[in-house]
Amino acid sequence: MAQAQATPMMKQYKEIKAQHEDAFLFFRLGDFYELFHEDALLAAKELEITLTQRGKGDDGVPMCGVPHHSSEQYISRLIDLGYKVAVCEQVENPQEAKGVVKREVVQVITPGTVMNGKAVREEANQFAVSIAEQNGTWSVSAADLTTGEWSACELESAEEAVNEALSYEPKEIIVAADTETVLKQALSARTSAAVSAYELEEQGEEVLFQDLSTPVLKRSAGMLLHYFHETTKRDLAHLQTVKPYEAAQYLQLDHHSKRNLEITESLMERTKKGSLLSVIDRTGTAMGARKLKRWLERPSLNKKQIEKRHGLTGKFIEHFMERKELQELLKQVYDLERLSGRVAFGTVNGRDLVQLKKSLQQMPGITALLKPLGNSYADELLPLLDAPAGLVELLDASIKEDCPVSVTEGGLICDGYNEQLDEYRDAMTNGRSWIAGLETEERQKTGIRSLKIGYNKVFGYYIEVSRPNLHLLQEGRYERKQTLSNAERFITPELKEKEAVILEAEEKSGELEYQLFTEVRDQVKQHIRLIQQIAESVSILDVLQGFAETAEERQYTKPVLTTDKKVEITESRHPVVETMADDGSYVPNSITLHKDREMLLITGPNMAGKSTYMRQLALSVILCQAGSYVPADSCEMMVFDKIFTRIGAADDLAQGQSTFMVEMSETRRAVEGAGEKSLILLDEIGRGTSTYDGMSLAQAVVEYIHDHLKAMTLFSTHYHELTALEKSLDNLVNVHVSAVEENGELTFLHRVVDGAADRSYGIHVARLARLPEALIRRADELLSAHESESAVRTEKKEKQPDYQEAVQIPLFPEEDPASAVVEELKQADILNMTPIQAMQFLDELRRKASREEKP
Ligand code: ADP
């Protein structure tokens, strides 16, 4: 065995590393954390630090290290890259150790459990989620360790569980070991979050789980709790009771729709800029920013709750002065959720506690502003804003406003808070002033004006006389201690006496200050629940004042929620696109939908504004149900339960799925999941395949939704032929986005009007692009020929047909469904399918086959 590896310390290293295979082991050696072997090779590359070697020649072990005091930035970088870091400390005093110093891993930092540093983004939650299954029921549990929020829900399938888990944009995903094969691939195809399998041991009863009613909920929550305890090895007093919820409690919006609608980040750059969030966010606190993001991602379904939010937003609009004052006060409120997290975690420092005090001191002001508003929602929040009794006073009396970051080096406890500490401080002050006095005195006595008293860690206090002045010094006056090139340093017995007093007082006061600090911290810990409650209320107020700010600035209107099936928005605008056209060039459009007008078939040339029109409805629904006003002149609308979108997205291909397959999967999700209260947006369905194929599918989808789902639907299409469906489908109405030709140029008016579009735009545009006239004429000829051959069958049906009948309208030569199934089976690339894809494929075949068997 290599010599370096054989040392007792390397043996200890190996034993510890063996328990933390999946993490970088930061092994404490004096003032450094060292990494060895594979860890060192990878860390040197990722952190761009120098790789060295422990031991000589061929026996050497690769090694690299980072200084202990600046380790946080290196750890943050690794966490950001998705790695885990196990921090191994010396847990006994090296001076007292017999043999190798005892070392232990004191914390494993992972992307989902990191508590500080750059990896923790202020304006976003940092969720770790877990997925478990029991007797066919699935459960997802999501917790943010930095704030203590925690919730769990039950779901019916693995696919739903994956969607729900991803909706949290988790930093880390823990899957039950028995579900690993089903989930891991499905997850890693759609997220860069670290996925680890976890073996759950026996699940005990937990107070935090008191509201969870089923074993599967407890199982997913239990996995997270165990994982947190195992990695952090801390008291997690700030974790809140797990809140059970049903996915159906919120407006359901799958992961794809969220991305496509650019709710919290833009599709291309994946940044907040260009998203709905960027336009609407006027929050002043980090807590408010996170709450807003959550509300936009999970709009409410509860009419009363939505109206409450609209109501208080309205009050904030009416009361401009109060709103401005509230904004000023909110600037003084720090991140109470994360402060409480740090209190529980034991990483809080003096400055954090000063921030806590300042934040709590704003509460009476906020309460005084809210009271006169006379709003029932504000009145509900008021009592929740009261600071815990005596806490502000305690913090004010104990922690210095200008305290240092370090909690171990003194200088953070106020004078007058503790008698003993005051005595130590007096001793130090007296000692220091005696020394200062000595300097003046000795200068006078010796006549050496440059004589000075200094201090260093090795020799303590000394008197320094420069070489040219040495002859002025009376022999034997001081005791010589150190010779420098241009000066001599001396001491005296009195000086050393005073020094001993000062140093002792310093040491003792440092220890005492730390002890007093931890006592204060523990007292704060008793109030974590109340602080979290304040944080919750402040974040709500912050979001709503922000809604008011945007509503006023961008002239949004208060939506009126109806119980009947209806959308009536006049002069609606796209909240994001309109900000990019701030010159007033944005063209507002009205949208009317009701039970006799459930479906709009939208035609018009490319770039006319079809998809913008569809998106603006979805975004208005989301804004409305999140509690905000909406960009329009007036708005009446129902509460939607789900939104499904099929809007072309750039990242489809990046995920290795063909665009058409994605298109069909998203369409399937819509037709399977939507109901009467849902909103479906389908943009150019069928574009990804051949014309007749695509057109047939598009028509079948329209008919299916119209006849079976009755969901409110906007369907844009370039198949002009489909506009004939207006005749056969009672609740479908044609609208088009108008464009005109002026001086040989096509001008988009972006106006949505009833009726079908003029269909000849494609060839028209080709003509404008000055393609050869002969070519254009040929295209015209071909178009006429195609049109006469392929008129869409839209005869009024005598009776309402069932789905089988509808799909059998022969738009193209009939194909034997059985042979189609066989053909698909032959072509299937089973080896390249994920388990979920394989199940979907099988299900698809089953459907096809069973259709064939039905009469
Ligand atoms: P389509 O879906 O018909 O191809 P888009 O909805 O993508 O067209 O719109 C194309 C561009 O037209 C958008 O990027 C936007 O800049 C502009 N646009 C769309 N609707 C409007 C509108 N109502 N007012 C002003 N500009 C618009």
Side-chain angles (χ1 to χ4, degrees):
M1 192 195 264
Q3 194 195 0
Q5 288 170 332
T7 65
M9 195 201 75
M10 285 313 284
K11 215 168 137 243
Q12 182 191 41
Y13 170 84
K14 283 197 148 187
E15 277 165 21
I16 298 175
K17 176 67 195 171
Q19 291 161 22
H20 297 279
E21 293 282 8
D22 61 345
F24 280 105
L25 184 64
F26 272 47
F27 193 75
R28 184 73 180 264
L29 267 180
D31 284 340
F32 276 76
Y33 286 115
E34 302 289 3
L35 294 105
F36 300 108
H37 296 287
E38 299 298 319
D39 278 3
L41 296 174
L42 189 56
K45 198 169 102 212
E46 297 285 24
L47 298 173
E48 294 170 12
I49 52 177
T50 318
L51 185 68
T52 56
Q53 184 162 303
R54 187 177 176 87
K56 289 209 178 78
D58 292 346
D59 293 340
V61 169
M63 169 175 110
C64 63
V66 300
H68 157 248
H69 60 84
S70 59
S71 61
E72 198 183 88
Q73 50 168 312
Y74 293 103
I75 294 178
S76 278
R77 262 168 55 201
L78 291 174
I79 299 298
D80 250 357
L81 292 167
Y83 295 111
K84 300 180 183 179
V85 173
V87 182
C88 177
E89 295 288 0
Q90 298 173 170
V91 291
E92 66 179 338
N93 187 337
Q95 266 99 54
E96 291 162 17
K98 292 194 190 92
V100 184
V101 183
K102 210 166 147 214
R103 289 185 176 82
E104 262 171 31
V105 169
V106 295
Q107 186 183 359
V108 183
I109 305 171
T110 72
T113 60
V114 59
M115 288 294 283
N116 41 20
K118 263 203 265 150
V120 182
R121 278 169 53 212
E122 217 181 61
E123 71 299 344
N125 274 109
Q126 173 186 278
F127 286 110
V129 302
S130 62
I131 308 178
E133 185 260 359
Q134 199 147 328
N135 303 329
T137 306
W138 293 78
S139 165
V140 168
S141 176
D144 181 343
L145 195 62
T146 62
T147 64
E149 287 157 82
W150 197 355
S151 53
C153 79
E154 269 186 33
L155 298 137
E156 282 172 14
S157 66
E159 187 180 348
E160 282 178 31
V162 166
N163 276 333
E164 188 63 21
L166 293 180
S167 76
Y168 286 95
E169 294 170 32
K171 293 278 176 276
E172 191 166 4
I173 305 172
I174 322 290
V175 300
D178 55 358
T179 61
E180 188 183 0
T181 33
V182 186
L183 295 179
K184 215 165 177 178
Q185 208 171 356
L187 284 166
S188 44
R190 288 173 56 188
T191 174
S192 54
V195 181
S196 15
Y198 194 79
E199 195 72 59
L200 183 71
E201 280 136 39
E202 232 4 70
Q203 174 64 57
E205 280 303 313
E206 294 282 348
V207 191
L208 292 176
F209 300 170
Q210 63 196 18
D211 299 334
L212 303 182
S213 52
T214 63
V216 71
L217 285 173
K218 289 183 189 165
R219 186 160 190 227
S220 67
M223 276 163 52
L224 265 192
L225 188 63
H226 280 228
Y227 185 73
F228 284 161
H229 279 307
E230 226 170 64
T231 50
T232 63
K233 303 178 194 289
R234 304 286 164 104
D235 178 8
L236 302 171
H238 68 301
L239 278 180
Q240 298 169 18
T241 316
V242 190
K243 235 189 259 163
Y245 71 95
E246 284 172 30
Q249 209 170 306
Y250 301 104
L251 174 69
Q252 279 179 50
L253 234 140
D254 65 23
H255 184 63
H256 285 274
S257 302
K258 258 181 218 162
R259 296 260 299 113
N260 291 340
L261 290 171
E262 308 191 289
I263 296 173
T264 56
E265 59 181 28
S266 62
L267 206 51
M268 295 300 217
E269 290 93 22
R270 303 206 71 160
T271 55
K272 182 175 166 188
K273 196 164 169 253
S275 68
L276 177 63
L277 179 63
S278 72
V279 171
I280 197 82
D281 188 359
R282 292 288 189 288
T283 55
T285 67
M287 298 172 285
R290 291 195 297 268
K291 175 70 84 192
L292 172 61
K293 189 160 179 281
R294 294 289 300 283
W295 280 5
L296 288 181
E297 282 169 345
R298 287 168 190 258
S300 174
L301 288 191
N302 182 327
K303 185 165 173 284
K304 282 214 173 76
Q305 186 182 42
I306 300 168
E307 284 170 340
K308 262 166 46 174
R309 294 181 191 169
H310 291 160
L312 187 47
T313 301
K315 281 287 173 192
F316 283 135
I317 297 176
E318 280 168 33
H319 294 263
F320 176 84
M321 288 312 291
E322 284 81 353
R323 187 172 88 234
K324 292 292 155 193
E325 281 178 46
L326 176 63
Q327 286 165 359
E328 285 307 309
L329 294 175
L330 288 175
K331 282 186 194 155
Q332 309 290 319
V333 180
Y334 295 86
D335 196 339
L336 294 175
E337 287 172 326
R338 291 206 163 135
L339 277 174
S340 1
R342 289 205 289 277
V343 168
F345 217 67
T347 49
V348 77
N349 62 31
R351 290 194 186 165
D352 289 332
L353 293 187
V354 172
Q355 290 187 348
L356 172 62
K357 176 185 77 178
K358 288 204 172 136
S359 307
L360 294 177
Q361 280 170 333
Q362 310 312 316
M363 297 309 136
I366 296 179
T367 310
L369 279 176
L370 292 181
K371 254 187 199 152
L373 294 187
N375 173 276
S376 56
Y377 194 21
D379 292 343
E380 229 177 87
L381 297 173
L382 277 174
L384 309 177
L385 290 172
D386 290 341
L391 186 56
V392 172
E393 292 75 9
L394 168 72
L395 293 173
D396 200 40
S398 58
I399 310 290
K400 277 192 184 171
E401 292 256 330
D402 57 349
C403 62
V405 175
S406 164
V407 295
T408 50
E409 288 165 24
L412 77 163
I413 302 292
C414 296
D415 287 336
Y417 179 67
N418 178 282
E419 249 177 67
Q420 179 70 65
L421 180 64
D422 289 346
E423 277 172 28
Y424 290 142
R425 282 188 176 158
D426 279 347
M428 286 176 339
T429 320
N430 292 341
R432 285 193 190 117
S433 60
W434 180 88
I435 288 173
L438 181 70
E439 190 177 72
T440 328
E441 204 178 305
E442 289 303 306
R443 275 181 191 170
Q444 279 170 0
K445 285 189 183 154
T446 57
I448 306 172
R449 284 177 53 204
S450 63
L451 176 149
K452 62 179 182 195
I453 297 189
Y455 176 83
N456 75 25
K457 276 197 171 154
V458 185
F459 298 113
Y461 286 98
Y462 54 79
I463 301 168
E464 186 175 294
V465 178
S466 63
R467 193 158 296 286
N469 288 314
L470 279 177
H471 67 280
L472 296 172
L473 205 60
Q474 181 193 338
E475 189 60 36
R477 181 170 184 86
Y478 308 135
E479 202 176 302
R480 193 180 305 265
K481 192 74 194 169
Q482 190 187 10
T483 303
L484 303 179
S485 60
N486 55 355
E488 290 284 344
R489 288 178 175 173
F490 306 92
I491 53 169
T492 68
E494 295 99 311
L495 185 60
K496 285 292 121 178
E497 237 169 67
K498 287 291 175 196
E499 178 188 298
V501 173
I502 294 173
L503 292 186
E504 191 189 345
E506 249 174 25
E507 193 187 326
K508 288 204 173 141
S509 80
E511 279 165 17
L512 181 57
E513 283 205 52
Y514 182 67
Q515 183 199 329
L516 293 171
F517 174 76
T518 53
E519 280 169 21
V520 172
R521 187 181 68 194
D522 288 345
Q523 269 175 277
V524 176
K525 211 166 172 176
Q526 308 298 319
H527 299 296
I528 282 184
R529 290 282 173 263
L530 283 178
I531 298 171
Q532 286 174 331
Q533 193 175 297
I534 293 172
E536 167 77 8
S537 310
V538 167
S539 63
I540 292 173
L541 291 170
D542 192 12
V543 176
L544 296 181
Q545 70 72 25
F547 280 163
E549 195 68 26
T550 317
E552 190 178 72
E553 189 183 303
R554 306 215 70 91
Q555 292 169 5
Y556 286 9
T557 187
K558 182 179 195 162
V560 177
L561 298 183
T562 63
T563 40
D564 32 329
K565 208 174 163 186
K566 177 176 184 184
V567 173
E568 184 74 65
I569 312 180
T570 55
E571 303 293 77
S572 160
R573 283 123 47 200
H574 187 296
V576 184
V577 178
E578 76 157 338
T579 62
M580 294 167 183
D582 257 350
D583 52 355
S585 62
Y586 191 83
V587 181
N589 278 299
S590 298
I591 303 179
T592 304
L593 295 166
H594 47 71
K595 65 179 184 4
D596 302 324
R597 185 185 158 105
E598 287 169 350
M599 219 177 192
L600 301 184
L601 189 86
I602 311 168
T603 44
N606 265 346
M607 293 300 285
K610 298 184 294 297
S611 94
T612 306
Y613 183 66
M614 304 205 304
R615 286 161 185 267
Q616 80 191 32
L617 173 57
L619 294 179
S620 293
V621 170
I622 291 165
L623 279 176
C624 167
Q625 293 184 213
S628 162
Y629 280 27
V630 297
D633 282 1
S634 73
C635 168
E636 245 186 282
M637 71 168 133
M638 59 193 273
V639 175
F640 285 94
D641 64 352
K642 300 172 190 173
I643 298 182
F644 294 94
T645 62
R646 166 56 221 166
I647 300 178
D651 62 342
D652 295 345
L653 283 174
Q655 291 181 9
Q657 302 201 44
S658 91
T659 317
F660 188 61
M661 187 61 193
V662 175
E663 194 174 312
M664 288 301 105
S665 312
E666 290 183 6
T667 308
R668 173 183 63 81
R669 273 200 283 274
V671 297
E672 275 180 4
E676 285 196 43
K677 291 185 178 162
S678 311
L679 174 66
I680 303 180
L681 306 179
L682 297 173
D683 195 7
E684 309 256 359
I685 283 289
R687 196 176 37 181
T689 180
S690 70
T691 306
Y692 291 127
D693 207 20
M695 191 160 75
S696 314
L697 264 168
Q699 182 182 349
V701 170
V702 168
E703 289 178 355
Y704 186 93
I705 296 174
H706 180 274
D707 295 348
H708 297 266
L709 306 180
K710 307 214 155 294
M712 296 295 205
T713 306
L714 303 191
F715 192 103
S716 83
T717 185
H718 63 291
Y719 298 120
H720 186 266
E721 293 81 347
L722 295 186
T723 56
L725 285 168
E726 193 180 46
K727 296 195 197 92
S728 59
L729 303 179
D730 292 340
N731 299 333
L732 178 144
V733 174
N734 284 323
V735 300
H736 71 279
V737 193
S738 55
V740 287
E741 193 205 323
E742 273 173 350
N743 307 327
E745 291 216 2
L746 194 63
T747 307
F748 299 117
L749 299 179
H750 304 304
R751 260 277 159 218
V752 179
V753 281
D754 278 9
D758 179 341
R759 74 179 98 165
S760 61
Y761 280 111
I763 295 177
H764 193 110
V765 174
R767 184 168 277 133
L768 288 177
R770 288 200 293 282
L771 259 71
E773 195 48 40
L775 187 156
I776 302 281
R777 269 203 308 278
R778 175 65 181 146
D780 264 330
E781 261 171 52
L782 287 172
L783 176 67
S784 316
H786 284 314
E787 280 168 359
S788 54
E789 278 167 20
S790 65
V792 171
R793 301 268 316 260
T794 56
E795 65 271 19
K796 262 274 190 252
K797 293 159 226 155
E798 292 288 282
K799 58 177 179 61
Q800 187 70 315
D802 66 16
Y803 180 59
Q804 278 66 32
E805 250 180 283
V807 293
Q808 282 167 17
I809 294 175
L811 281 160
F812 43 89
E814 280 240 52
E815 195 184 357
D816 173 14
S819 67
V821 169
V822 172
E823 196 49 40
E824 269 191 60
L825 260 175
K826 278 192 205 157
Q827 311 251 332
D829 184 4
I830 307 257
L831 286 181
N832 282 318
M833 284 185 192
T834 64
I836 287 190
Q837 282 169 340
M839 280 168 70
Q840 280 174 350
F841 177 65
L842 190 60
D843 192 42
E844 210 71 40
L845 293 182
R846 185 193 54 76
R847 272 164 214 262
K848 286 188 182 154
S850 59
R851 254 180 229 145
E852 178 211 337
E853 281 156 23
K854 281 189 187 165

